[in-house]
C-alpha cells in the first residue's frame, strides 16, 4: 500500500495542472518540464476565445481639461474590449472630449473615409473633414505633419503611365521623428501579392526591428513610450505614442482590378504594395504644418475646389524633404529640443486603455 502512495500524488498533481487556465478562462495544460518557455503575445489566438462574452470595460475621465471630466464611460456590449482577441471584432474607443461622453465601436484598421486618413493615390481626409488628393512625386519625400515635437514624413512610390502628364503615386513608407528618436515603417517591394506573407518592415533609431507575426504581437521601444502592435496576423499594425499620436496602418497592393479600372499600367515585377493610414493626433500646436497637419490648424482655410471629382491640394515645393527622416522642408517647424520629458505624459483626449497608456493620462481603466 505504501508503494502506491506516490502514484496517487502524481495523479492529484496532474489533475491540478489540467485545470490550469489562461486569462480568458480557457483550460491550457502546462508543457512538460523539459519544454522551453514560448515567447510571444500573451493573448490566445482568436479561435480560442470565439463566442466568449466579456464584461465591458469601464473608464473614468479624470482630466479636468476635458469636457467629460468626472464622467464614467462604459464600453458598449457590442465592443466591450479595447483590444479584442478577435482581429475582426470592433474595439472600444473612448474620447473624453466627445459631446455625448460615450464610447464608440470602431475597427482598429484604417478607415479610409475617416478624419486623418491617407489612402489610395494618395487621398487624404483632413482634420477639417474635407477630402483632397496630394500627388507629390515618385521617389520623393514629403512632410505630412510637422509640429515642434513631431515630424511625420512619407516616401512616395509610383509610375507615370504612357501618355500621362503626371505620376500616379502611393505612400510606401513613413518616417517619424519625436525628440531624439526616429521610427520608420514601410511596405516591402514585391512582385506578387500573398495575403499570408508579411510585407511590413520597421526600424527604430536607425536599427531594424523585428515584430513577431500574430494578432496582438507587440513591440515597445527602449527609453520611449512608443509601442507597435499588430492588429492582424500580418500587414496591419497600430503605432502609439501616448499624448502625441496613434496611427493605424495596413499594407495593400494594386490589384488587377485597380490596374484595369485606373489604367495604372502596373508592370509584372511590382504590385506597388503601399500603405493605407489613419492618424489620430493629440495636443497638436495651433501652428502645425505639413500636407495633412495644416488641416488641423484652427485658422486653416482649405483651398481645394469642392464638388470636383479630384480636388487637388498643392504644396509640393513647401513640404518636400530631402529624406524620410529629415525636417528640412520650407514649412517644417519640428524642433527636437522642444520635446522634453514632460511631453510624454500629456493628457490625450482619446485613450487606449493599456498598461502603458492608462496610468496618469487623463483616464482611469477598470473592469
Amino acid at each position: 500500500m505504501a508503494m502506491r502512495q506516490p502514484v496517487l500524488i502524481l495523479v492529484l498533481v496532474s489533475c491540478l495542472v489540467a485545470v490550469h487556465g489562461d486569462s480568458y478562462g480557457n483550460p491550457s495544460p502546462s508543457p512538460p518540464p523539459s519544454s522551453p518557455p514560448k515567447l510571444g503575445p500573451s493573448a490566445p489566438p482568436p479561435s480560442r476565445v470565439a463566442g466568449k462574452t466579456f464584461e465591458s470595460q469601464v473608464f473614468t475621465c479624470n482630466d479636468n481639461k476635458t469636457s467629460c471630466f468626472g464622467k464614467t464611460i462604459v464600453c458598449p456590449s457590442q465592443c466591450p474590449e479595447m483590444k479584442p482577441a478577435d482581429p475582426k471584432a470592433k474595439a472600444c474607443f473612448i474620447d473624453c472630449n466627445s459631446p455625448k461622453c460615450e464610447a464608440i465601436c470602431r475597427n482598429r484598421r484604417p478607415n479610409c473615409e475617416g478624419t486623418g486618413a491617407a489612402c489610395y493615390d494618395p487621398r487624404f481626409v483632413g482634420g477639417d473633414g474635407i477630402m483632397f488628393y496630394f500627388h507629390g512625386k515618385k521617389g520623393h519625400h514629403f512632410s505630412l505633419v510637422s509640429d515642434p515635437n513631431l515630424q511625420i514624413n512619407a516616401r512616395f512610390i509610383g509610375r507615370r503611365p504612357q501618355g500621362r502628364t503626371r505620376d500616379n503615386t502611393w505612400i510606401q513608407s513613413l518616417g517619424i521623428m519625436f525628440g531624439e528618436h526616429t521610427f520608420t515603417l514601410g511596405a516591402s517591394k514585391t512582385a506578387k501579392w500573398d495575403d499570408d506573407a508579411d510585407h511590413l518592415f520597421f526600424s527604430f533609431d536607425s536599427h531594424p526591428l523585428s515584430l513577431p507575426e500574430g494578432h496582438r504581437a507587440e513591440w515597445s521601444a527602449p527609453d520611449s513610450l512608443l509601442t507597435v502592435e499588430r492588429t492582424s496576423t500580418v500587414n496591419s499594425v497600430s503605432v502609439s505614442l501616448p499624448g502625441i499620436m496613434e496611427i493605424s496602418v495596413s499594407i495593400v497592393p494594386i490589384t488587377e482590378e485597380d490596374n484595369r479600372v485606373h489604367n495604372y499600367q502596373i508592370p509584372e515585377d511590382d504590385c506597388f504594395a503601399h500603405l493605407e493610414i489613419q492618424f489620430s493626433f493629440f495636443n497638436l500646436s495651433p501652428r502645425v504644418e505639413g500636407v495633412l497637419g495644416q488641416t488641423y490648424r484652427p485658422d486653416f482655410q482649405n483651398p481645394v475646389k469642392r464638388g470636383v471629382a479630384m480636388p487637388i491640394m498643392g504644396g509640393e515645393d513647401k513640404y518636400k524633404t530631402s529624406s524620410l527622416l529629415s525636417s528640412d522642408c520650407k514649412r517644417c517647424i519640428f524642433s527636437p529640443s522642444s520635446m522634453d520629458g514632460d511631453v510624454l505624459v500629456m493628457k490625450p483626449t482619446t485613450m487606449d486603455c493599456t498598461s502603458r497608456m492608462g496610468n496618469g493620462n487623463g483616464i482611469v481603466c477598470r473592469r
Side-chain angles (χ1 to χ4, degrees):
M1 184 67 181
M3 295 178 62
R4 294 183 181 179
Q5 187 173 0
V7 177
L8 292 176
I9 293 175
L10 287 174
V11 171
L12 177 59
V13 170
S14 65
C15 291
L16 291 173
V17 171
V19 299
H20 178 72
D22 60 23
S23 59
Y24 292 95
N26 299 297
S28 53
S30 301
S34 58
S35 300
K38 294 183 178 181
L39 301 179
S42 59
S47 59
R48 296 281 302 280
V49 295
K52 289 186 177 292
T53 301
F54 295 97
E55 182 181 354
S56 292
Q57 289 183 303
V58 180
F59 310 93
T60 299
C61 297
N62 62 6
D63 181 3
N64 59 12
K65 296 180 181 179
T66 63
S67 58
C68 300
F69 173 62
K71 299 285 187 180
T72 296
I73 302 176
V74 181
C75 288
S77 59
Q78 298 88 338
C79 58
E81 295 281 309
M82 293 291 293
K83 294 185 176 183
D86 183 351
K88 296 181 180 180
K90 289 188 175 183
C92 173
F93 285 80
I94 302 292
D95 184 350
C96 287
N97 267 323
S98 63
K100 296 182 179 180
C101 298
E102 294 177 347
I104 62 171
C105 297
R106 75 182 193 201
N107 292 319
R108 298 190 70 198
R109 300 190 193 182
N111 173 12
C112 289
E113 309 302 320
T115 301
C119 304
Y120 314 132
D121 177 16
R123 191 191 76 170
F124 293 83
V125 181
D128 54 4
I130 298 175
M131 183 269 288
F132 64 90
Y133 287 80
F134 178 84
H135 294 306
K137 189 175 181 181
K138 66 178 180 180
H140 289 260
H141 307 88
F142 297 90
S143 170
L144 301 187
V145 176
S146 186
D147 215 23
N149 63 359
L150 178 67
Q151 177 84 19
I152 302 177
N153 297 337
R155 179 179 185 269
F156 284 39
I157 56 172
R159 60 178 282 107
R160 182 170 297 187
Q162 188 175 9
R164 302 280 179 88
T165 59
R166 67 166 182 84
D167 297 335
N168 290 121
T169 53
W170 300 273
I171 295 176
Q172 180 263 345
S173 56
L174 294 178
I176 302 171
M177 293 173 279
F178 57 101
E180 300 298 330
H181 296 294
T182 63
F183 174 77
T184 67
L185 67 86
S188 302
K189 181 179 178 179
T190 182
K192 300 296 182 182
W193 182 259
D194 181 355
D195 283 332
D196 297 324
D198 191 42
H199 301 277
L200 276 164
F201 65 83
F202 310 90
S203 74
F204 180 73
D205 289 347
S206 301
H207 298 289
L209 65 91
S210 178
L211 180 62
E213 293 183 9
H215 176 234
R216 291 177 56 171
E218 185 175 289
W219 174 87
S220 299
D223 303 320
S224 167
L225 295 183
L226 181 77
T227 60
V228 184
E229 181 190 357
R230 289 194 186 270
T231 51
S232 65
T233 303
V234 293
N235 296 322
S236 292
V237 295
S238 174
V239 180
S240 299
L241 187 61
I244 306 295
M245 66 174 191
E246 184 171 336
I247 311 174
S248 298
V249 180
S250 290
I251 295 182
V252 295
I254 300 298
T255 65
E256 292 182 4
E257 180 65 11
D258 292 335
N259 192 32
R260 183 190 67 79
V261 170
H262 300 286
N263 192 26
Y264 289 136
Q265 301 174 27
I266 298 297
E268 293 185 357
D269 63 344
D270 191 352
C271 69
F272 283 85
H274 59 281
L275 306 182
E276 291 185 343
I277 314 162
Q278 187 174 21
F279 297 93
S280 294
F281 299 111
F282 316 112
N283 300 297
L284 289 174
S285 78
R287 58 192 184 98
V288 60
E289 276 288 358
V291 175
L292 179 64
Q294 62 182 332
T295 67
Y296 286 82
R297 291 204 307 260
D299 61 346
F300 180 67
Q301 299 293 321
N302 203 310
V304 301
K305 295 181 180 180
R306 305 188 194 184
V308 300
M310 186 175 286
I312 305 296
M313 177 79 77
E316 284 87 348
D317 61 325
K318 297 183 294 185
Y319 298 122
K320 183 180 176 181
T321 64
S322 60
S323 69
L324 189 61
L325 292 173
S326 65
S327 56
D328 55 1
C329 74
K330 293 179 181 178
R331 294 286 185 88
C332 288
I333 62 173
F334 175 67
S335 176
S337 60
S338 69
M339 192 171 194
D340 57 27
D342 293 334
V343 74
L344 288 180
V345 295
M346 295 170 69
K347 296 179 174 62
T349 56
T350 302
M351 286 299 302
D352 178 353
C353 188
T354 69
S355 59
R356 297 179 67 86
M357 296 181 65
N359 182 13
N361 285 306
I363 195 166
V364 174
C365 314
R366 68 177 188 273
R367 289 286 187 181

